[in-house]
Amino acid sequence: MKEVIMEMERYADTNNIPIIEVDSIKFIMKYIKLNNVKKVLEIGSAIGYSAILMANATQNVEITTIEKDEKRYREAVKNINKCNLDKRIEVVYNDALEVNLAGHKYDLIFIDAAKGSYINFFEKFCHYLNPGGVIITDNLKFHGLVNNKASIKTKSLRGIVKRIEKYIEFLNNNKDYVTKFYDIGDGLSVSIKKNEGK
Ligand code: SAH
Ligand code: MG
């Protein structure tokens, strides 16, 4: 298992795949443990790195993870099989915005796919949260660029940073959720639905 994880870190490094930072995944694993999370939905599997580590947080957590890139999807399935986690991790090969999850509910939704679509992901998938569930989002600092706009060289990067800022504003203004922002890894948010009737 440890071997496979180290192999994945090297693969990600060589192939420029933005896997989660160590401190961020530690934070999420701790959250899964402490809150007895049973069902996780991940948007953006890449090669399965974060899904495999989340599955290692406890013995009974189950993960559904969505990836739209075929090569990464295949790599994720391969890595999950190598870790013997295929019974607890299901990889869905599709664009998350096209997936229909009717009938399923999750305790934790981890948003970690296209940074420009965060609001769309939140608005779509918040309906799949169990009561007391949480939405965690990664890369709110976008490799430090959100706080250092002067250093951004291309128009497309500027566009992504703008949309991350919009997402942060969206979370802050969302009356149904309480969101806390953490300066961990590349920046994480934790959004918890307010109790109805309170
Ligand atoms: N969670 C992974 C990293 C994910 S990187 C980890 O930490 O190990 C983001 C991934 O999201 C990329 O592989 C990209 O192909 C995928 N992605 C981007 N937009 C998507 C969408 N709309 N639906 C599904 N996957 C998407
Ligand atoms: Mg990420």
Side-chain angles (χ1 to χ4, degrees):
M1 168 76 86
K2 193 112 195 253
E3 284 281 288
V4 184
I5 288 168
M6 279 167 59
E7 206 181 289
M8 289 171 84
E9 286 168 354
R10 278 195 298 271
Y11 181 95
D13 198 45
T14 322
N15 295 282
N16 262 320
I17 293 165
I19 57 170
I20 194 163
E21 292 191 25
V22 173
D23 290 343
S24 308
I25 192 66
K26 278 193 180 154
F27 177 93
I28 296 173
M29 289 170 78
K30 201 166 158 189
Y31 190 95
I32 291 173
K33 241 184 169 161
L34 292 177
N35 296 281
N36 197 19
V37 167
K38 295 267 161 48
K39 296 254 181 215
V40 174
L41 174 67
E42 175 181 68
I43 320 297
S45 331
I47 58 171
Y49 181 77
S50 51
I52 288 171
L53 288 170
M54 286 193 282
N56 270 298
T58 64
Q59 286 308 304
N60 58 2
V61 59
E62 290 180 356
I63 295 155
T64 300
T65 179
I66 309 173
E67 175 56 53
K68 71 171 183 186
D69 179 273
E70 186 177 2
K71 192 168 171 216
R72 291 184 181 184
Y73 159 77
R74 285 181 192 281
E75 201 61 35
V77 169
K78 195 179 85 192
N79 289 323
I80 289 159
N81 287 335
K82 273 192 197 165
C83 295
N84 287 318
L85 284 168
D86 51 302
K87 296 227 158 50
R88 289 201 287 127
I89 306 177
E90 181 193 3
V91 194
V92 177
Y93 171 46
N94 203 343
D95 187 318
L97 294 171
E98 303 292 330
V99 169
N100 182 350
L101 297 169
H104 293 271
K105 292 276 177 180
Y106 302 90
D107 307 308
L108 188 159
I109 297 175
F110 178 44
I111 300 181
D112 194 23
K115 314 308 164 201
S117 305
Y118 275 180
I119 294 183
N120 304 321
F121 295 139
F122 190 106
E123 286 186 325
K124 172 170 179 174
F125 292 107
C126 65
H127 303 291
Y128 297 99
L129 267 189
N130 273 325
V134 68
I135 299 181
I136 298 183
T137 312
D138 190 28
N139 303 101
L140 294 181
K141 293 200 289 187
F142 198 51
H143 319 296
L145 292 179
V146 173
N147 294 319
N148 189 7
K149 278 184 263 175
S151 72
I152 307 175
K153 302 220 162 53
T154 68
K155 210 173 169 182
S156 77
L157 278 182
R158 259 196 295 279
I160 295 173
V161 166
K162 260 205 189 120
R163 295 183 71 163
I164 292 177
E165 286 176 327
K166 278 233 169 83
Y167 181 64
I168 293 170
E169 198 182 303
F170 162 85
L171 293 176
N172 279 323
N173 293 333
N174 194 323
K175 291 191 183 61
D176 298 327
Y177 290 80
V178 177
T179 296
K180 282 190 183 157
F181 296 91
Y182 293 88
D183 195 0
I184 297 175
D186 196 29
L188 280 182
S189 64
V190 176
S191 307
I192 296 180
K193 196 168 187 194
K194 289 182 193 166
N195 263 344
E196 271 124 50
K198 268 200 181 165

